[in-house]
Amino acid sequence: MKTYRYLGIMLVAALAVGCSKDKADRISIFAESMNGSDSKVWMDPSNVNTATWVEGEAIDLNGNPYTIVDDVDRGFCLDIEPQDRAMYAIYPATTSTGGNDITVENNNGTGSRVTLRSLAVNFLSTSGHTVCFPMESQAMARSSALYFNHLTGNLRVTLADTSAMPVTLGAVKIVLRSTSDVAPISHNGVTVSWAVQGPTMPGGEVGEISGDQDVKYSSEMYFVLKTDGNANATVAARGSKSFCVPVTVPSLRYITVTGYNPDGSQRFTISKDLGTSIAITRNRIRTLPTINIK
């Protein structure tokens, strides 16, 4: 069974004895907290303090992908020697596997870009789920550790089954609408965005959203749902399922969630007006009203 570490608590000790230089072929990796936690990419939406890295994924360092290693003695590292030049790292590296479709252009701190086309939300039977939260790090040449900053905000989404039968979903599409222009967000020379950012067609039941909506203020993303790495996720009858997703808009007023059956057919479309525009801040969590499905 995999052990997930509380890296914030272990930080000082890890730097002292973690990825020590008894072997010079690995670099320690750490991330800033999300709302006071150590959020990385494994998350329990009810307790983000338990979040950490996922072994086997890759980080782009100076334009090349390197694998995340969970060393039992040294903590989470990149399987590479410290570089002889300044280091610019972006998590994740470019990938198009397992439901993730992410493109990374690492231009060493100037004009770098992360484009999110689709993301996998993999629910774990133990607890929590995995999902990619883009991050960046910069360090001087020969540094033995990389400290990552989150690039996006965070939305906590809850799907609640209001029926007496379980609902199995293969994917959801989330459309966010603001009352101002939607533009990619940037931090430390790295720009990140969902691939579809206005225009997009409004969705939802007639009458659920009132007032004028401008489609140029939209951002859209597909999330492929999995359970323990296998296709689909089930919301229990009269139960609910929560998950966290990275958000690349500066503000949010309306949300539309569309659910798809395992065969790709549409199961539901639910829209909500939050009543007022809320700010989306990098490295902070916003909890959305529950989406009731049936």
Side-chain angles (χ1 to χ4, degrees):
M1 179 178 294
K2 182 173 177 57
T3 299
Y4 292 96
R5 295 172 176 78
Y6 293 88
L7 295 185
I9 297 173
M10 297 176 63
L11 180 58
V12 174
L15 287 176
V17 298
C19 280
S20 61
K21 302 318 293 175
D22 57 331
K23 287 178 65 179
D25 60 351
R26 288 180 176 172
I27 302 172
S28 300
I29 55 174
F30 304 96
E32 70 175 337
S33 64
M34 176 84 77
N35 277 10
S37 68
D38 290 298
S39 298
K40 316 293 187 301
V41 293
W42 179 87
M43 303 191 74
D44 179 345
S46 66
N47 180 12
V48 294
N49 292 315
T50 61
T52 187
W53 298 98
V54 173
E55 185 176 23
E57 293 188 334
I59 287 173
D60 185 305
L61 177 59
N62 289 346
N64 296 300
Y66 295 98
T67 302
I68 297 173
V69 176
D70 185 5
D71 190 306
V72 66
D73 297 318
R74 307 195 296 182
F76 287 95
C77 310
L78 288 187
D79 200 4
I80 182 180
E81 293 183 5
Q83 303 290 282
D84 290 325
R85 54 176 173 155
M87 293 186 284
Y88 297 90
I90 296 176
Y91 170 83
T94 293
T95 183
S96 58
T97 60
N100 291 307
D101 187 357
I102 303 167
T103 301
V104 174
E105 301 173 31
N106 189 348
N107 297 314
N108 294 348
T110 303
S112 298
R113 176 177 288 274
V114 179
T115 303
L116 307 175
R117 292 180 174 82
S118 71
L119 292 176
V121 177
N122 181 35
F123 294 96
L124 307 176
S125 55
T126 50
S127 66
H129 65 283
T130 61
V131 66
C132 289
F133 270 77
M135 293 183 278
E136 66 78 33
S137 178
Q138 301 178 16
M140 295 185 298
R142 304 303 301 171
S143 295
S144 60
L146 291 168
Y147 299 90
F148 283 81
N149 299 296
H150 287 276
L151 291 169
T152 70
N154 179 347
L155 284 185
R156 182 186 285 115
V157 180
T158 298
L159 303 178
D161 181 2
T162 60
S163 74
M165 296 293 292
V167 174
T168 298
L169 301 173
V172 296
K173 180 178 74 172
I174 297 178
V175 179
L176 308 178
R177 296 186 182 88
S178 180
T179 54
S180 59
D181 285 327
V182 173
I185 59 176
S186 297
H187 182 70
N188 285 352
V190 182
T191 297
V192 59
S193 66
W194 288 7
V196 179
Q197 291 201 167
T200 188
M201 293 299 294
E205 300 294 335
V206 175
E208 284 201 353
I209 292 182
S210 60
D212 295 332
Q213 297 180 62
D214 195 323
V215 295
K216 72 174 179 290
Y217 298 155
S218 298
S219 187
E220 174 183 310
M221 172 73 77
Y222 278 92
F223 295 90
V224 178
L225 303 185
K226 295 177 174 287
T227 302
D228 291 330
N230 300 311
N232 308 325
T234 298
V235 184
R238 310 296 187 193
S240 64
K241 214 173 235 332
S242 297
F243 57 97
C244 298
V245 297
V247 184
T248 64
V249 295
S251 63
L252 172 62
R253 170 67 186 268
Y254 310 98
I255 180 171
T256 298
V257 178
T258 302
Y260 297 92
N261 294 309
D263 64 4
S265 61
Q266 182 174 312
R267 178 65 180 257
F268 65 83
T269 298
I270 305 294
S271 297
K272 286 186 177 293
D273 180 348
L274 302 182
T276 187
S277 183
I278 63 172
I280 302 297
T281 306
R282 187 195 70 82
N283 200 38
R284 290 293 180 268
I285 298 172
R286 285 283 193 176
T287 298
L288 293 177
T290 297
I291 305 294
N292 292 319
I293 62 176
K294 60 182 179 179

